[in-house]
Amino acid sequence: MSKEIQGFSKMSKKEKIQWMAKNFLYANPIDVMKEFAGFWHDNIEAQKLLDGFSENTLTNFPVPFGIAPNFMINGEIYAVPMVIEESSVVAAASNAAKFWLSRGGFKAKVISSTKVGQVHFQFDGDKEKLFFLFNTEIKAKLLQAVKPITANMEKRGGGVKDLELIDFTSIEPDYYQIRCYFETVDSMGANFINSCLEEFGKSLVDIISNDARFNLEEQSIEVIMCILSNYTPECVVKAEVECNVDELGSFDDGKMKAREFAARFAKAVRIAQIDPYRATTHNKGIMNGIDAVVLATGNDFRAIEACAHTYAARDGQYRSLSECTIENNIFNFSLTIPLAVGTVGGLTSLHPLAKRSLEVLGNPSAHRLMEIIATVGLAQNFAAVKSLTTVGIQKGHMKMHLTNILASFQATDAEMEKARQYFEDKTVSVSGVREYLLDIRK
Ligand code: MEV
């Protein structure tokens, strides 16, 4: 039987599920239908809205939506919505938030919020003439050409900030690009930027192909593509915490004193600065927190991820995004990260839970949201490195994972409660939990 299909997108949701079950699953199609339908939204309008976000949707894929309370950021308290499936993340963020709450909280500040787009083109001709005319005439004409698109954005305080012609011909024959800089205020701005870029592309060809100062070869300028760049090294925010080393307290039931902890913590961050293997995991811990808030607020976590890792490698080696210093007995831990997020437009207002998340955060501006997200990334990183350099990560992780293991053995509520008490002072493992359940089920 052929597994290929024509016209799949035209089929009803039920037909799609049946076709999938018949062709790709060994389960009974009736059971599959029940399972998938079990995750449909009761409210038909709400389901229609979700279906509209994507194509060929069969059902919804629920992921926990949690809250990490007690985040003091720039003197204000936030409860931060987080959407994530990894069991220990919200607990770790909440612990770090509480830890710093009694030590002055987090400080966060947007450094700049410039976004970037590119018009990539081929030009076979006189480079100097191109640069001269670009800077004296063409740039102004391009900016004029996008006025109908930028009018509204300008009213909100944004728009096109600058255009720069860049010569790549020493690496790729005839290849140039116009790098375009934008301010998109509270929106992530992808649609606005791409609309401007496509207009720049069309106008560029129009201007050069109709200018007699360019010869025929030059007039056959070709635009290859126009698209925003998800690398936004000038859309950057810094979050930090700071306290006297002695204020850090003691760890591992008093076995590790503040001074030793601070030194071990700073060393761990330093290791992530110099070794890409460790840096990747270290930054993954940061992204645990960042992605969870980005998702909860309806922002694009793929864009945030792609950008963060390029930024982490900006000097040619992949490094930790966070830094730790101990100077004059002051412990300082900071995270500087590019975050191109929005609080208007896109899913932020369309997805009812994204809208709620933003409401919980006090309907922040994009700048404030950048500060909140960077703070959660820093808190997450603090929690992970604190565990790693004190009691180790598995103690907390496996405690949280215990619920998942118990669920996989269909433990009842009473069994779960008993098991939690039993494993309170024991190492959690899948086989240990299996044996324990067999024992109490005897
Ligand atoms: C696990 O999701 C994240 C950590 O591995 C991060 C780290 O090692 O820093 C705990």
Side-chain angles (χ1 to χ4, degrees):
M1 192 198 309
S2 166
K3 292 187 173 186
E4 286 173 22
I5 186 162
Q6 300 293 326
F8 184 69
S9 64
K10 306 271 180 324
M11 281 159 58
S12 75
K13 203 182 269 188
K14 282 189 178 160
E15 286 167 338
K16 285 183 185 125
I17 295 172
Q18 269 160 359
W19 176 84
M20 175 192 70
K22 211 167 108 198
N23 288 282
F24 294 92
L25 295 172
Y26 295 107
N28 178 343
I30 296 172
D31 292 342
V32 175
M33 181 66 77
K34 259 198 212 146
E35 184 182 56
F36 274 61
F39 289 102
W40 289 345
H41 208 296
D42 290 342
N43 177 326
I44 294 174
E45 287 309 311
Q47 187 56 55
K48 248 196 209 159
L49 183 76
L50 290 172
D51 289 342
F53 294 156
S54 183
E55 182 80 351
N56 291 345
T57 52
L58 306 184
T59 191
N60 309 308
F61 188 100
V63 179
F65 176 117
I67 282 273
N70 295 320
F71 266 98
M72 196 207 272
I73 310 171
N74 298 336
E76 263 185 62
I77 301 280
Y78 294 85
V80 184
M82 299 177 80
V83 170
I84 185 137
E85 87 302 345
E86 191 175 324
S87 47
S88 54
V89 169
V90 176
S94 309
N95 285 341
K98 215 161 158 200
F99 182 95
W100 286 104
L101 184 65
S102 55
R103 290 166 177 84
F106 296 83
K107 307 265 178 305
K109 197 172 171 25
V110 170
I111 296 165
S112 57
S113 55
T114 305
K115 315 263 169 60
V116 181
Q118 297 164 299
V119 176
H120 306 269
F121 67 95
Q122 297 264 113
F123 174 83
D124 179 7
D126 182 344
K127 189 180 297 187
E128 268 172 35
K129 180 168 60 187
L130 177 67
F131 268 87
F132 177 75
L133 289 177
F134 181 85
N135 289 320
T136 52
E137 296 176 29
I138 298 172
K139 183 164 149 177
K141 283 185 186 160
L142 292 179
L143 290 172
Q144 193 55 39
V146 293
K147 278 283 167 215
I149 307 173
T150 58
N152 261 337
M153 186 60 87
E154 279 167 16
K155 271 189 214 142
R156 292 197 271 133
V160 185
K161 289 175 89 168
D162 198 11
L163 305 181
E164 184 187 3
L165 179 61
I166 304 177
D167 175 8
F168 278 88
T169 55
S170 63
I171 310 169
E172 181 64 25
D174 304 335
Y175 166 48
Y176 297 82
Q177 83 175 227
I178 305 177
R179 196 168 293 168
C180 314
Y181 301 95
F182 299 88
E183 172 54 58
T184 59
V185 199
D186 284 333
S187 64
M188 193 259 188
N191 278 331
F192 167 74
I193 293 174
N194 287 333
S195 299
C196 288
L197 294 172
E198 290 194 358
E199 189 53 50
F200 286 146
K202 266 193 241 140
S203 301
L204 180 72
V205 171
D206 209 38
I207 294 165
I208 292 189
S209 59
N210 288 304
D211 188 333
R213 289 171 292 181
F214 290 103
N215 65 36
L216 279 182
E217 227 144 53
E218 291 168 337
Q219 283 182 353
S220 64
I221 173 175
E222 199 183 323
V223 169
I224 305 292
M225 59 186 163
C226 308
I227 184 74
L228 68 73
S229 170
N230 286 117
Y231 185 43
T232 54
E234 285 171 35
C235 183
V236 175
V237 54
K238 179 174 180 179
E240 65 185 317
V241 283
E242 193 170 271
C243 73
N244 206 294
V245 168
D246 309 302
E247 284 174 59
L248 287 166
S250 65
F251 302 84
D252 195 10
D253 297 328
K255 289 196 260 313
M256 192 185 290
K257 300 283 177 278
R259 206 155 290 271
E260 187 191 351
F261 166 74
R264 285 173 62 83
F265 189 100
K267 182 64 82 179
V269 179
R270 175 81 190 124
I271 291 167
Q273 287 283 341
I274 60 177
D275 172 34
Y277 282 86
R278 175 56 204 150
T280 306
T281 320
H282 180 95
N283 289 343
K284 190 273 184 185
I286 295 173
M287 301 317 284
N288 275 343
I290 299 231
D291 284 348
V293 190
V294 168
L295 256 173
T297 55
N299 277 285
D300 180 345
F301 63 93
R302 286 86 57 211
I304 296 298
E305 281 280 342
C307 183
H309 301 297
T310 310
Y311 190 73
R314 64 194 179 283
D315 73 0
Q317 187 189 313
Y318 189 88
R319 298 180 191 281
S320 158
L321 287 161
S322 61
E323 273 178 56
C324 181
T325 59
I326 304 168
E327 278 165 20
N328 303 323
N329 209 36
I330 300 291
F331 174 89
N332 179 287
F333 183 44
S334 67
L335 170 67
T336 305
I337 187 166
L339 289 173
V341 291
T343 55
V344 297
L347 225 58
T348 57
S349 44
L350 276 179
H351 196 300
L353 290 178
K355 210 168 152 183
R356 275 282 182 234
S357 296
L358 288 167
E359 198 182 326
V360 172
L361 295 173
N363 289 320
S365 64
H367 275 207
R368 180 62 52 83
L369 184 61
M370 286 167 77
E371 290 166 356
I372 295 168
I373 296 174
T375 298
V376 178
L378 181 71
Q380 206 72 54
N381 191 209
F382 179 78
V385 178
K386 172 166 147 307
S387 292
L388 289 168
T389 53
T390 55
V391 292
I393 208 77
Q394 278 314 83
K395 199 172 167 193
H397 257 199
M398 290 315 278
K399 279 260 138 65
M400 296 300 296
H401 196 46
L402 178 61
T403 309
N404 291 343
I405 302 175
L406 286 164
S408 74
F409 291 121
Q410 279 88 39
T412 63
D413 286 351
E415 286 172 339
M416 288 218 183
E417 193 44 47
K418 264 186 167 176
R420 281 195 196 103
Q421 281 172 20
Y422 176 79
F423 282 101
E424 189 60 42
D425 55 358
K426 295 182 184 58
T427 307
V428 177
S429 70
V430 176
S431 57
V433 174
R434 187 192 296 117
E435 268 167 38
Y436 174 75
L437 284 175
L438 283 174
D439 204 40
I440 62 166
R441 282 172 180 173
K442 259 184 203 155

mmCIF file of all heavy atoms in Angstrom, residues 20 33 104 108 122 135 152 167 180 182 186 192 215-216 262 293 319 333 358 367 370 382 415 433 439:
data_model
loop_
_atom_site.group_PDB
_atom_site.id
_atom_site.type_symbol
_atom_site.label_atom_id
_atom_site.label_comp_id
_atom_site.label_asym_id
_atom_site.label_seq_id
_atom_site.Cartn_x
_atom_site.Cartn_y
_atom_site.Cartn_z
ATOM 1 N N MET A 20 -3.967 8.476 8.969
ATOM 2 C CA MET A 20 -2.696 8.320 9.683
ATOM 3 C C MET A 20 -2.677 6.985 10.442
ATOM 4 O O MET A 20 -1.699 6.234 10.385
ATOM 5 C CB MET A 20 -2.502 9.482 10.659
ATOM 6 C CG MET A 20 -1.279 9.364 11.527
ATOM 7 S SD MET A 20 -1.298 10.550 12.862
ATOM 8 C CE MET A 20 -2.612 9.898 13.866
ATOM 9 N N MET A 33 -8.521 7.483 17.239
ATOM 10 C CA MET A 33 -9.472 8.597 17.083
ATOM 11 C C MET A 33 -9.883 9.120 18.465
ATOM 12 O O MET A 33 -9.917 10.320 18.703
ATOM 13 C CB MET A 33 -10.696 8.095 16.297
ATOM 14 C CG MET A 33 -11.743 9.155 16.061
ATOM 15 S SD MET A 33 -11.141 10.462 14.991
ATOM 16 C CE MET A 33 -11.259 9.637 13.429
ATOM 17 N N GLY A 104 18.221 41.443 47.487
ATOM 18 C CA GLY A 104 18.130 42.647 46.635
ATOM 19 C C GLY A 104 17.485 42.435 45.286
ATOM 20 O O GLY A 104 17.281 43.380 44.525
ATOM 21 N N ALA A 108 17.794 44.450 35.711
ATOM 22 C CA ALA A 108 17.849 44.146 34.273
ATOM 23 C C ALA A 108 17.705 45.430 33.472
ATOM 24 O O ALA A 108 16.990 46.352 33.885
ATOM 25 C CB ALA A 108 16.741 43.165 33.916
ATOM 26 N N GLN A 122 23.104 40.637 -6.505
ATOM 27 C CA GLN A 122 24.259 40.468 -7.403
ATOM 28 C C GLN A 122 24.385 41.738 -8.226
ATOM 29 O O GLN A 122 23.384 42.211 -8.786
ATOM 30 C CB GLN A 122 23.969 39.344 -8.402
ATOM 31 C CG GLN A 122 23.781 37.988 -7.810
ATOM 32 C CD GLN A 122 25.075 37.206 -7.864
ATOM 33 O OE1 GLN A 122 25.648 36.913 -6.828
ATOM 34 N NE2 GLN A 122 25.540 36.905 -9.068
ATOM 35 N N ASN A 135 25.314 55.910 -1.393
ATOM 36 C CA ASN A 135 25.374 56.807 -0.233
ATOM 37 C C ASN A 135 24.850 58.211 -0.517
ATOM 38 O O ASN A 135 24.356 58.878 0.384
ATOM 39 C CB ASN A 135 26.809 56.867 0.312
ATOM 40 C CG ASN A 135 27.159 55.544 0.994
ATOM 41 O OD1 ASN A 135 26.331 54.949 1.683
ATOM 42 N ND2 ASN A 135 28.371 55.063 0.759
ATOM 43 N N ASN A 152 2.916 54.085 9.954
ATOM 44 C CA ASN A 152 2.315 53.706 11.239
ATOM 45 C C ASN A 152 3.357 53.423 12.300
ATOM 46 O O ASN A 152 3.226 53.826 13.448
ATOM 47 C CB ASN A 152 1.463 52.441 11.055
ATOM 48 C CG ASN A 152 0.021 52.816 10.929
ATOM 49 O OD1 ASN A 152 -0.392 53.883 11.377
ATOM 50 N ND2 ASN A 152 -0.752 51.933 10.303
ATOM 51 N N ASP A 167 30.026 45.090 0.907
ATOM 52 C CA ASP A 167 30.673 44.434 -0.240
ATOM 53 C C ASP A 167 31.196 43.052 0.177
ATOM 54 O O ASP A 167 32.059 42.950 1.045
ATOM 55 C CB ASP A 167 31.839 45.351 -0.675
ATOM 56 C CG ASP A 167 32.676 44.730 -1.781
ATOM 57 O OD1 ASP A 167 32.282 43.676 -2.315
ATOM 58 O OD2 ASP A 167 33.733 45.323 -2.100
ATOM 59 N N CYS A 180 19.971 46.319 6.755
ATOM 60 C CA CYS A 180 18.985 47.337 7.134
ATOM 61 C C CYS A 180 18.719 47.236 8.629
ATOM 62 O O CYS A 180 18.572 46.133 9.163
ATOM 63 C CB CYS A 180 17.673 47.107 6.385
ATOM 64 S SG CYS A 180 17.902 46.784 4.629
ATOM 65 N N PHE A 182 16.371 48.338 11.957
ATOM 66 C CA PHE A 182 14.997 48.743 12.263
ATOM 67 C C PHE A 182 14.775 48.886 13.766
ATOM 68 O O PHE A 182 15.413 48.190 14.565
ATOM 69 C CB PHE A 182 14.006 47.663 11.789
ATOM 70 C CG PHE A 182 14.047 47.399 10.315
ATOM 71 C CD1 PHE A 182 14.927 46.450 9.789
ATOM 72 C CD2 PHE A 182 13.204 48.079 9.451
ATOM 73 C CE1 PHE A 182 14.959 46.182 8.433
ATOM 74 C CE2 PHE A 182 13.231 47.819 8.083
ATOM 75 C CZ PHE A 182 14.108 46.872 7.570
ATOM 76 N N ASP A 186 7.151 47.818 20.207
ATOM 77 C CA ASP A 186 6.639 46.691 21.002
ATOM 78 C C ASP A 186 6.361 45.434 20.190
ATOM 79 O O ASP A 186 5.973 44.411 20.754
ATOM 80 C CB ASP A 186 5.367 47.110 21.758
ATOM 81 C CG ASP A 186 5.714 47.963 22.959
ATOM 82 O OD1 ASP A 186 6.838 47.804 23.495
ATOM 83 O OD2 ASP A 186 4.904 48.800 23.347
ATOM 84 N N PHE A 192 6.679 43.519 9.436
ATOM 85 C CA PHE A 192 7.023 44.899 9.067
ATOM 86 C C PHE A 192 8.389 44.914 8.366
ATOM 87 O O PHE A 192 8.556 45.500 7.299
ATOM 88 C CB PHE A 192 7.047 45.770 10.328
ATOM 89 C CG PHE A 192 7.671 47.113 10.122
ATOM 90 C CD1 PHE A 192 7.000 48.109 9.429
ATOM 91 C CD2 PHE A 192 8.948 47.389 10.604
ATOM 92 C CE1 PHE A 192 7.587 49.348 9.211
ATOM 93 C CE2 PHE A 192 9.550 48.625 10.400
ATOM 94 C CZ PHE A 192 8.861 49.609 9.705
ATOM 95 N N ASN A 215 25.892 51.024 -16.768
ATOM 96 C CA ASN A 215 25.873 50.393 -18.090
ATOM 97 C C ASN A 215 24.904 49.204 -18.088
ATOM 98 O O ASN A 215 24.338 48.847 -17.046
ATOM 99 C CB ASN A 215 27.287 50.004 -18.528
ATOM 100 C CG ASN A 215 27.881 48.931 -17.611
ATOM 101 O OD1 ASN A 215 27.166 48.052 -17.133
ATOM 102 N ND2 ASN A 215 29.183 49.016 -17.369
ATOM 103 N N LEU A 216 24.750 48.561 -19.254
ATOM 104 C CA LEU A 216 23.728 47.500 -19.402
ATOM 105 C C LEU A 216 23.946 46.342 -18.439
ATOM 106 O O LEU A 216 23.011 45.821 -17.838
ATOM 107 C CB LEU A 216 23.717 46.974 -20.833
ATOM 108 C CG LEU A 216 22.936 47.838 -21.826
ATOM 109 C CD1 LEU A 216 22.945 47.204 -23.211
ATOM 110 C CD2 LEU A 216 21.502 48.059 -21.340
ATOM 111 N N ALA A 262 31.056 30.473 46.349
ATOM 112 C CA ALA A 262 31.271 31.540 45.357
ATOM 113 C C ALA A 262 32.430 31.174 44.421
ATOM 114 O O ALA A 262 32.322 31.331 43.199
ATOM 115 C CB ALA A 262 31.547 32.863 46.067
ATOM 116 N N VAL A 293 9.450 31.148 28.979
ATOM 117 C CA VAL A 293 8.723 32.429 29.043
ATOM 118 C C VAL A 293 8.406 32.923 27.627
ATOM 119 O O VAL A 293 7.334 33.479 27.366
ATOM 120 C CB VAL A 293 9.519 33.500 29.824
ATOM 121 C CG1 VAL A 293 8.644 34.717 30.084
ATOM 122 C CG2 VAL A 293 10.047 32.944 31.137
ATOM 123 N N ARG A 319 30.770 30.175 23.601
ATOM 124 C CA ARG A 319 31.073 30.396 25.023
ATOM 125 C C ARG A 319 29.803 30.555 25.850
ATOM 126 O O ARG A 319 28.720 30.761 25.302
ATOM 127 C CB ARG A 319 31.873 31.701 25.192
ATOM 128 C CG ARG A 319 33.207 31.695 24.504
ATOM 129 C CD ARG A 319 33.908 33.033 24.740
ATOM 130 N NE ARG A 319 35.075 33.156 23.881
ATOM 131 C CZ ARG A 319 36.239 32.578 24.118
ATOM 132 N NH1 ARG A 319 36.397 31.840 25.191
ATOM 133 N NH2 ARG A 319 37.245 32.731 23.290
ATOM 134 N N PHE A 333 26.801 38.106 39.183
ATOM 135 C CA PHE A 333 26.484 37.094 38.183
ATOM 136 C C PHE A 333 25.555 37.748 37.170
ATOM 137 O O PHE A 333 24.535 38.337 37.546
ATOM 138 C CB PHE A 333 25.810 35.905 38.877
ATOM 139 C CG PHE A 333 25.491 34.746 37.968
ATOM 140 C CD1 PHE A 333 26.405 34.276 37.032
ATOM 141 C CD2 PHE A 333 24.252 34.115 38.058
ATOM 142 C CE1 PHE A 333 26.109 33.204 36.207
ATOM 143 C CE2 PHE A 333 23.951 33.044 37.241
ATOM 144 C CZ PHE A 333 24.883 32.590 36.315
ATOM 145 N N LEU A 358 0.838 37.697 29.321
ATOM 146 C CA LEU A 358 1.287 39.091 29.281
ATOM 147 C C LEU A 358 0.542 39.910 30.333
ATOM 148 O O LEU A 358 1.122 40.794 30.973
ATOM 149 C CB LEU A 358 1.083 39.670 27.870
ATOM 150 C CG LEU A 358 2.069 39.095 26.841
ATOM 151 C CD1 LEU A 358 1.647 39.440 25.423
ATOM 152 C CD2 LEU A 358 3.493 39.605 27.101
ATOM 153 N N HIS A 367 10.496 46.044 25.772
ATOM 154 C CA HIS A 367 11.723 46.223 26.570
ATOM 155 C C HIS A 367 11.585 45.546 27.928
ATOM 156 O O HIS A 367 12.490 44.847 28.382
ATOM 157 C CB HIS A 367 12.005 47.720 26.779
ATOM 158 C CG HIS A 367 12.750 48.340 25.641
ATOM 159 N ND1 HIS A 367 13.557 49.427 25.779
ATOM 160 C CD2 HIS A 367 12.814 48.020 24.325
ATOM 161 C CE1 HIS A 367 14.090 49.752 24.608
ATOM 162 N NE2 HIS A 367 13.637 48.917 23.707
ATOM 163 N N MET A 370 11.784 41.861 27.592
ATOM 164 C CA MET A 370 13.184 41.428 27.414
ATOM 165 C C MET A 370 13.858 41.306 28.776
ATOM 166 O O MET A 370 14.589 40.345 29.056
ATOM 167 C CB MET A 370 13.968 42.447 26.557
ATOM 168 C CG MET A 370 13.638 42.417 25.071
ATOM 169 S SD MET A 370 14.312 43.872 24.213
ATOM 170 C CE MET A 370 16.055 43.456 24.077
ATOM 171 N N PHE A 382 21.542 30.218 37.373
ATOM 172 C CA PHE A 382 22.028 30.242 38.759
ATOM 173 C C PHE A 382 21.629 28.948 39.463
ATOM 174 O O PHE A 382 22.454 28.295 40.124
ATOM 175 C CB PHE A 382 21.465 31.456 39.514
ATOM 176 C CG PHE A 382 21.918 31.499 40.940
ATOM 177 C CD1 PHE A 382 23.194 31.941 41.266
ATOM 178 C CD2 PHE A 382 21.095 31.060 41.968
ATOM 179 C CE1 PHE A 382 23.643 31.947 42.592
ATOM 180 C CE2 PHE A 382 21.525 31.060 43.291
ATOM 181 C CZ PHE A 382 22.804 31.506 43.599
ATOM 182 N N GLU A 415 -0.445 5.544 46.045
ATOM 183 C CA GLU A 415 0.899 4.976 45.823
ATOM 184 C C GLU A 415 1.926 6.096 45.613
ATOM 185 O O GLU A 415 3.053 6.018 46.100
ATOM 186 C CB GLU A 415 0.878 4.043 44.610
ATOM 187 C CG GLU A 415 0.197 2.705 44.880
ATOM 188 C CD GLU A 415 0.014 1.870 43.607
ATOM 189 O OE1 GLU A 415 0.030 2.444 42.494
ATOM 190 O OE2 GLU A 415 -0.178 0.653 43.731
ATOM 191 N N VAL A 433 12.067 2.383 41.638
ATOM 192 C CA VAL A 433 10.640 2.697 41.752
ATOM 193 C C VAL A 433 9.811 1.460 41.382
ATOM 194 O O VAL A 433 8.827 1.131 42.055
ATOM 195 C CB VAL A 433 10.270 3.896 40.841
ATOM 196 C CG1 VAL A 433 8.766 4.138 40.847
ATOM 197 C CG2 VAL A 433 11.004 5.152 41.292
ATOM 198 N N ASP A 439 6.621 -4.190 45.443
ATOM 199 C CA ASP A 439 6.616 -4.538 46.861
ATOM 200 C C ASP A 439 5.315 -4.115 47.541
ATOM 201 O O ASP A 439 4.664 -4.910 48.215
ATOM 202 C CB ASP A 439 7.829 -3.841 47.507
ATOM 203 C CG ASP A 439 8.246 -4.547 48.759
ATOM 204 O OD1 ASP A 439 8.222 -5.791 48.738
ATOM 205 O OD2 ASP A 439 8.559 -3.854 49.750
#
